[in-house]
Every structure is written in C-alpha cells, then in structure tokens.
Amino acid sequence: MTTHSIEHHPDLAEMRSRFERVTSTPAAQAVEALALITGLYLAASPWIAGFSVLTALAVNNLIAGLAYCLCMSGLGSAYERTHAMAWTAVAIGAWTIVAPWVIAGENDTTRSVVSNVITGCVALLLALAMSAMAGRERTPRARGR
C-alpha cells in the first residue's frame, strides 16, 4: 500500500505559489511594515500619549500591541500558513477601538480615547488589507467579455 503526502499535491503547490506572488509585492510588504509599526505604537502608546496612569488600559494596550505584531509579522514570509492570523489582527484592531470605554470606563481620558480610536482604525484597516490580499491575483483580468 502506497501513501501519498498532501505536500506534493498540485493544488497545494499552486496555492503556495500564489501566496508567494501576493506577499512579494511592494504593497503587501508596505502593509506588513505599517502593521508592525502600528503594533509597536499600540504597545507603547500609554507612555507615548501619556495615559500610563490608567494601568488596566496600559497593560491592555501593551498586550494587544504585542499580539498584533505577532499576528502580522509572519505574514510576509509564511503567508500560506499564517494568513488566518490576519483575521485575529482584525479583531485586535476592533478591540483597540472600544477598549478605553470597556476597560477604563469613566476614568478614560481624551488622550487614551483619541490614541486608541486612531490606532485601532489603522490596525483594523491594515489587517483587512492583508486579509484581502489572500484572494487577490497579480495577473490582470481578461477584458472585453
């Protein structure tokens, strides 16, 4: 009895080739770089924007920022195995937007709200852009049909 590995299946090879083409584009590399910068800012934002006295929100932003960096950092080099993590990054971006009200409640400050909403929107958009790249082909579509 002969067993065949899925690793050698032609469809899998084509899918890997397509993901490699997508992630090698300048747009994909720019999205990944901006996402890493956004995640690092989110992690350091309590100290940069000056709301580190809100300890629970500061810890939340630190953890969310590091998690966002981890989710988005492997996408360029191993997209075929990590593209599902981009959807986790979408959730982290959405959470970042609502976190000041959920965590800090009445103790939130204008700095914390503005920082989290802007950073969360940027993180959300970058994660959606990276998720959308999975279905995008680099070949031009046929015209005139």
Side-chain angles (χ1 to χ4, degrees):
M1 183 165 112
T2 307
T3 59
H4 298 282
S5 172
I6 190 80
E7 291 294 320
H8 302 293
H9 194 277
D11 290 340
L12 185 61
E14 170 57 30
M15 186 170 50
R16 284 186 176 159
S17 173
R18 181 174 58 112
F19 285 145
E20 186 176 325
R21 284 190 311 268
V22 169
T23 58
S24 66
T25 63
Q29 292 170 354
V31 168
E32 183 179 7
L34 290 172
L36 291 176
I37 292 168
T38 301
L40 291 174
Y41 174 78
L42 177 59
S45 63
W47 296 274
I48 293 171
F51 60 91
S52 60
V53 294
L54 300 172
T55 308
L57 186 59
V59 169
N60 173 75
N61 281 15
L62 178 64
I63 293 170
L66 294 176
Y68 187 82
C69 281
L70 287 174
C71 287
M72 297 295 277
S73 66
L75 296 175
S77 60
Y79 192 76
E80 72 273 2
R81 292 184 297 276
T82 60
H83 70 279
M85 288 195 301
W87 289 107
T88 304
V90 169
I92 292 170
W95 169 252
T96 300
I97 295 170
V98 299
W101 294 285
V102 173
I103 293 176
E106 294 177 8
N107 296 327
D108 65 356
T109 63
T110 303
R111 291 179 194 181
S112 65
V113 171
V114 170
S115 178
N116 273 43
V117 169
I118 292 172
T119 306
C121 287
V122 169
L124 183 70
L125 291 174
L126 290 170
L128 285 172
M130 190 58 86
S131 297
M133 286 184 192
R136 189 170 70 170
E137 292 287 335
R138 286 190 65 184
T139 58
R141 294 180 187 247
R143 295 183 186 187
R145 287 190 181 188

